[in-house]
Amino acid sequence: MSPRHYRQTAAAAASPLGQTREQLFQALNTGEHGLSQTDIPARQRQYGLNQISFHRAHSPWRMLLQEFIALFPLLLLGAAGLSLLADHLSPGEGYNLIGSALLGVVVLNAAVSFLQNYKVEKLMLSFLDYIPKEVALLRDGKQHLADAKEVVPGDILSLQEGDKIPVDGVLLQANQLLVDESILSGESEPLNKTALEQGSAEAVHLVSSGATVLKGSARVLTTQTGRATKIGSISELSRGVSQDLTPMQRELRYFVRRITWLALGIGLLFFIIGFVIGNPFWTNLIFAIGIIVANVPEGLLPTVTLALTQSSVRMSRRNALVKHILSVETLGSTTVICTDKTGTLTRNKLHVERLYLDFSEIDLHDPTALNSLPAARPASEIMALCNDVIATDGTTQGGNGFHGDPTEVALADFVEAHGGYAAIRDRFEQLHSRPFDADLKYMSATYRSPAGTLYLTVKGAPDVVIERCSRVHGEASVRALQRDGRERIEQQANHYASQGLRVLALACSEVEMPEAEPQDLVFIGLVAMVDPPRPEVPAAVAACHSAGIRIVVMSGDKAETVAYVARKLDIVQHPRVIEGEQVAAMSRAELAEVLEDDQVVFARIAPEQKLTIVECFKEQGEVVAVTGDGVNDAPALKRADIGIAMGQRGTDVAKEASDIILLDDNFATIVKAVEEGRGVYDNIKKFITYILTSNIPEILPFIAYVLLPIPLPITVVQILAIDLITDILPAIGLGNEPPESDIMRRPPRQRDERLVSYHTFIRSYGLVGPVEALLSFLVFFWVLDAGGWQWAQPLAGNTLLYGQATGAFLTTIIFCQIGNVMACRSNRQSAIAYLLRFNPWIWSGLVVEVLFILMILYVPLFHGFFSTAALPPWIWGGILLAPWIIFAIEELRKWLVRRGVSWLAA
């Protein structure tokens, strides 16, 4: 057959709706006996394999390269290049050490980030097991097993209970077929499907790839495979969705640009000043490079990476897998969570919610209320006997031992919890069963009772069953069903249905023949079921409200069910339900107006409509998190600022599109993750403030050295010691501070709030940094004066006095930073309470700092390398006072901020 014929075939079969059985066979060039094996190779060349690539494997080398080309690593690499240039121009001044150290920092940071991302990459690849391995095919009139990847349009497949459907197709045969399509549509209730025998194909005759057969068996004519299926098209839609930079990426980019221009500006300024005072060109250039490099916070990149990585590890212990470490902070800045309902807010398992017996609703939380009613016994019998579930060995373990139609599983679970499913069925002998019929809307089963009578049990749609009832079990007796009683029952059934509950009527009768038609029945009661909220969700919803985070439900389920769940969970008080068709008809301006209503929820929503809602929220300046587990959630998951997929029930498409995967499918885990994200943002802000502060006492000595006739107070090697040894551990400690107690009672931070603002620079460069520099200069000149140095007197770098003076300058900076790190443990509140609060990273850092400075001061082996010498004991009084001065200045600043002096806020 020609390729042209296959293209025509594909177009004809692309939409089987409206086509007859014969037209489909003709369009696909197949028949009742299936394809011929000789046709398969040509069709596979035309249509490709029946597989969908949900996750494109990333090359490890490419992943590693990406760690080096982000803006911050490029800044450090640029600074390393300048340092190596300065060393070439003026060897022996330590610039080669700065260049090597900066390169080492970039490599170390890349390694840490790469290992975290590679670990997640391997885990993502392990998820990919979506299309079933083998299927039963009919070819040349014979059935045989084949790899599901080999299925092509025109193939006829056999499906059994429990199978995952690997193709889109039309049902040629169906025996009591019940299909779960919730991962595609978001609708929690399973769908009854029937075969296309007469007339044209309708939705009830179609099945989709990714759906699961809950009950029954079928034969399917394949119309679409691979990417051409419904699940494949949604996967492709999500691939085409662009992702914005995360808030943390935007902030780090802003900070790197700011610090780069600041460093270049100061370097250029003093390059010009050098010319004004008469220094030669190369001296000025080397000096300018020193100024620029000193402005670069070498330790900031690894500290940020480590803080985010450690936060990711903590979240993984709480069952939240972070695919991209920057996503940790994004969740903390979330203002809106758009959540799916089925499987996310709810258990994706039906449960008996209401029971109406004896013309009254039963309190199911009170076991005595049910047992006291005479109608409770026949109600339990009907739920157990008029039921086709399969009971397994786990029946006694909390109702997890039933398999079959979710509605019938819910009834069996209820009976098991209130008397025992097996105990009831063991007393009766089944004689006849009439399976549920989608046209008749009821199911019946006849049993021989222990007394020897024939006992007919019926369950089904309330209007159908009530119509067949002439009597009612009420007030401890069976009596005629009067008109007012019938109206009361119908009114109650309608009330349950309006709340989104799935309602069944229960009835029974003694009959003469096992095959008797259900007539003249005794009405027993109504049972209303719902996919119940997960037990941990209400507290999580309350926590989101306290944190100022809005929750918006976007579900493919029907309006009544969405409204019921949203109200039950207290997400909204008075739900305003907007359906997908309404969203599709709205302009962006109209949708934006709808989203202003905090009571709005969405039902019957399609993937492209979810995407539109997310984009509209983002246009309004919201930071949007989207949760979901189905294929229909994938495009919105990818477009959101942060996508959160369910790990257990979630599809591979959803997991690929997401940034975070909840391994326990627990909505409450999101709240813990939000708290972690807010905490890590606060902590990153704290240690950036801490690290930037030491830049001033590192830069000013170079400026003073050029402008004034004094020895250089600090060497390049000493600067490296501060940035990469003594500041790192305390900074990591700040990154691991526990969240402040009120962190989930604050509103989300504003989208335009800067991680590093002008206030941060004022605090670090205009207040604390200059004080640290002043204290260090005072100690430096104190040592020089005590050693007999005179103003403008040359002082060789290898003398004892110079080693003592530079050692004192370095030690004072380090001890000032001790006071600074303790002050940075709180943003606005007094940090006095934190002085004795144990943080192992901070206290370990302080111990390392003290041991390090004592070692380089008092161990002669290190004197030459670090340009230090042993300090006289009397100088320690001034040095030990320095951290308390810094801490006191910070306490005064915070006190003024709390009283309204906003320009001093960090």
Side-chain angles (χ1 to χ4, degrees), residues 350-353 407 410-411 500-504 527-531:
L350 286 175
H351 138 100
V352 174
E353 181 80 358
T407 302
L411 297 177
L501 303 177
R502 187 171 189 180
V503 190
L504 293 177
V527 57
M529 289 159 287
V530 72
D531 179 12

Side-chain angles (χ1 to χ4, degrees), residues 33 135-146 156-160 173 218-219:
H33 299 292
V135 291
L137 294 175
L138 186 68
R139 287 179 180 169
D140 294 317
K142 297 178 182 178
Q143 186 163 304
H144 68 280
L145 291 176
I156 295 176
L157 281 67
S158 294
L159 297 175
Q160 300 292 330
Q173 296 177 17
R219 277 196 173 180

Side-chain angles (χ1 to χ4, degrees), residues 698-714:
E698 291 173 357
I699 295 168
L700 288 181
F702 283 88
I703 297 173
Y705 178 64
V706 170
L707 299 179
L708 303 173
I710 62 172
L712 181 63
I714 190 169

Side-chain angles (χ1 to χ4, degrees), residues 11-83:
S15 179
L17 287 172
Q19 299 193 55
T20 65
R21 190 181 179 108
E22 291 71 25
Q23 287 173 330
L24 286 167
F25 280 143
Q26 183 179 1
L28 291 163
N29 196 36
T30 187
E32 298 283 357
H33 299 292
L35 295 172
S36 170
Q37 192 66 41
T38 58
D39 291 338
I40 303 306
R43 293 200 181 211
Q44 286 181 343
R45 285 193 297 272
Q46 175 65 25
Y47 298 115
L49 293 176
N50 180 36
Q51 61 184 8
I52 304 169
S53 177
F54 296 111
H55 178 77
R56 292 173 181 164
H58 299 113
S59 163
W61 293 108
R62 185 183 180 90
M63 291 172 62
L64 184 60
L65 177 63
Q66 287 176 337
E67 301 297 340
F68 290 93
I69 58 177
L71 198 56
F72 210 156
L74 288 175
L75 170 64
L76 295 186
L77 289 173
L82 288 174
S83 299

Side-chain angles (χ1 to χ4, degrees), residues 25 49 77-78 200 235 265 277 281 421 465 560 610 632 677 794 805 811 845:
F25 280 143
L49 293 176
L77 289 173
S200 301
S235 174
I277 62 176
F281 174 84
Y421 175 83
V465 174
E560 295 84 358
K610 287 188 177 184
N632 59 322
T811 305

Side-chain angles (χ1 to χ4, degrees), residues 777-849:
F777 273 114
L778 287 175
V779 173
F780 175 74
F781 286 117
W782 188 8
V783 171
L784 288 178
D785 182 67
W789 177 80
Q790 300 294 319
W791 186 260
Q793 177 184 340
L795 185 63
N798 57 357
T799 62
L800 174 65
L801 180 60
Y802 181 75
Q804 288 179 327
T806 58
F809 193 96
L810 171 65
T811 305
T812 306
I813 293 176
I814 290 174
F815 273 79
C816 282
Q817 285 292 83
I818 291 176
N820 188 27
V821 74
M822 298 308 290
C824 285
R825 294 181 72 178
S826 69
N827 287 322
R828 288 171 52 91
Q829 301 303 314
S830 170
I832 293 174
Y834 289 82
L835 291 176
L836 297 178
R837 185 176 296 180
F838 185 68
N839 178 320
W841 283 95
I842 288 179
W843 286 101
S844 297
L846 299 185
V847 170
V848 168
E849 282 185 307

